[in-house]
Each structure stands twice: as structure tokens, then as C-alpha cells.
Amino acid sequence: MGSSNIQDLVDRYLVAYNAFDIDGMVSLLSPDVRFENYSGGQLTTATNGIEEFRQLAEQSRSLFSEREQRITNLELGHESAVAAIAYRGKLAKDIPDGPPAGTLLDLQGISEFSFGNGRITKIVDRS
């Protein structure tokens, strides 16, 4: 897969993510996509396959009234990409034992993408 195709997939994924367009996100994924989220080095969430990913995306969508992931640096590999991400989101509801609705989150992280057959096969988010 060429680097322009990889960058295009990453860009399209983030546009869909920022627009809360779950169908748009899922359309870019392989059927057996793996998703992992790490916070502070600990695995906090993982999904296998499009249906588990979709369920998590629907759940996440309800937590935020607005959100944006912006790439601050992108390193492209043969079948991979590593994006430094600036994340900003506004909570739509209170988080139990956490911040209340309306709280603005401003985070930095890394998203690692793997690709195969013209689709995203794995996403690993680290913050």
C-alpha cells in the first residue's frame, strides 16, 4: 500500500471520527479490525471485529457533545502509520467518579494504524 493511500485512509478516518460518523469510520475498517486503547500504559479497552468496534464507537459518541482529533505529526510506514494526536473533547454527561458534563478534555496521544487490503486492520490509541 502506498503512503498516499495510507495517509488518505487516516485522514478519512479522522474526518469521520470528528463528525461522529460511525458508518464512515466503519467503512474504512477490515472485518476483523482490532482496536486497543491504553491509558498510562494500561490496556483500558479492546475490541475485535467491526461489530464490537461499532458498539464501542456508539458508546463513545454518547459521552461527548463535541470532539476533535488533530494530527500534529504523521510517520508513514509500508503498512502502518503512527500519528501524534492532539485531542479535544467536551463531555456530554457526567462521568461517575470523574469530571462533570461540560468539562473540556485536552489531551495528547499517539494513534498507531495498521493496514491490509486497502483497509485499516488495527488501531492502537495511547494517552
Side-chain angles (χ1 to χ4, degrees):
M1 219 172 134
S3 59
S4 63
N5 291 341
I6 288 173
Q7 183 160 359
D8 180 60
L9 279 173
V10 171
D11 289 343
R12 289 171 47 206
Y13 176 83
L14 289 181
V15 165
Y17 177 90
N18 290 341
F20 295 92
D21 178 5
I22 293 170
D23 289 335
M25 293 165 59
V26 168
S27 73
L28 304 170
L29 306 177
S30 70
D32 62 345
V33 66
R34 170 80 175 168
F35 173 80
E36 298 173 0
N37 185 79
Y38 292 86
S39 182
Q42 298 292 317
L43 179 65
T44 58
T45 307
T47 66
N48 289 303
I50 283 181
E51 285 313 309
E52 285 184 18
F53 182 92
R54 181 184 291 278
Q55 289 173 6
L56 179 63
E58 292 283 355
Q59 201 175 16
S60 296
R61 177 169 62 182
S62 70
L63 290 177
F64 294 93
S65 59
E66 58 186 70
R67 66 184 184 189
E68 178 189 30
Q69 285 191 40
R70 186 175 44 83
I71 295 173
T72 59
N73 186 51
L74 183 63
E75 296 178 18
L76 302 174
H78 175 65
E79 294 285 325
S80 64
V82 177
I85 299 286
Y87 178 84
R88 190 180 143 299
K90 185 175 184 179
L91 291 175
K93 54 175 90 169
D94 295 345
I95 304 295
D97 299 320
T103 299
L104 285 173
L105 303 178
D106 205 355
L107 308 168
Q108 303 294 314
I110 300 289
S111 289
E112 302 163 5
F113 296 88
S114 299
F115 304 89
N117 296 319
R119 297 198 178 267
I120 299 170
T121 59
K122 186 173 185 181
I123 303 169
V124 177
D125 287 342
R126 300 180 190 277
S127 61

